[in-house]
Amino acid sequence: MCGCRASVSSTKQCLDNNPVPAPTKKSTRAAADMSKRIPIAKQLASIKALGKGSDLEKAFATVALVYNNSADPEGKLSKGETKSLLQTQFGGFIQGQENKPKYQEIISALDEEPENKIDFEDFMILLVSLTLMSDLLQQIRNTKTTK
């Protein structure tokens, strides 16, 4: 996993390609809870320090809010919830990655002991790892930045 194994220690590769997990009572409940929450945009707007913040600061604040809105009272997510959150909120970056060995390694590690918890730091490592291997990142790099 991009040289960092802080959040997953398994190197077992998953051979089945299940990009979307089957809904469970817990994931259905989490989806219902998320629908009752204040929208992320309103949460961001309420953070006065971000009023004049850069786009990068707002992007990281968005990631933190998405994570915190899904985390338990101790600020952690189960591996199963993490997988679901990544697939629903980060789908553009992981779409088409299902056959890549590093992607399979990350997802299979989340499938092992799905009730085990991870913290925000480990979530960010997973997020960065998935971003670095994404085809979408290459498209972003190829975007014109000047007229």
Side-chain angles (χ1 to χ4, degrees):
M1 184 177 80
C2 301
C4 183
R5 300 210 183 271
S7 59
V8 290
S9 59
S10 171
T11 57
K12 176 185 165 198
Q13 292 185 4
C14 179
L15 297 178
D16 62 357
N17 293 324
N18 296 329
V20 179
T24 63
K25 288 181 185 177
K26 197 168 199 173
S27 64
T28 305
R29 182 174 45 88
D33 289 345
M34 288 185 89
S35 67
K36 295 178 185 176
R37 295 188 188 256
I38 298 169
I40 296 292
K42 285 188 178 185
Q43 291 179 37
L44 282 172
S46 72
I47 302 171
K48 294 182 192 240
L50 288 176
K52 294 182 180 180
S54 69
D55 290 342
L56 186 58
E57 290 169 320
K58 291 175 183 175
F60 271 90
T62 300
V63 171
L65 287 171
V66 168
Y67 178 89
N68 287 338
N69 286 344
S70 298
D72 66 15
E74 290 92 35
K76 295 185 180 248
L77 280 177
S78 72
K79 288 181 175 183
E81 291 167 326
T82 299
K83 178 181 174 182
S84 177
L85 185 64
L86 289 170
Q87 290 174 327
T88 58
Q89 297 292 317
F90 210 59
F93 277 90
I94 62 176
Q95 184 177 2
Q97 307 307 306
E98 296 86 1
N99 295 323
K100 292 184 177 181
K102 286 184 181 181
Y103 175 84
Q104 291 175 348
E105 179 182 334
I106 291 169
I107 296 302
S108 69
L110 292 174
D111 286 335
E112 293 174 7
E113 302 177 10
E115 294 303 316
N116 282 1
K117 305 276 182 166
I118 68 165
D119 57 18
F120 181 68
E121 291 81 5
D122 288 336
F123 178 79
M124 289 300 293
I125 290 168
L126 290 172
L127 198 62
V128 170
S129 297
L130 291 169
T131 302
L132 291 173
M133 71 178 81
S134 173
D135 295 335
L136 183 55
L137 181 61
Q138 190 58 46
Q139 292 176 21
I140 293 168
R141 287 180 176 158
N142 293 335
T143 302
K144 289 186 178 183
T145 56
T146 58
K147 291 184 180 180

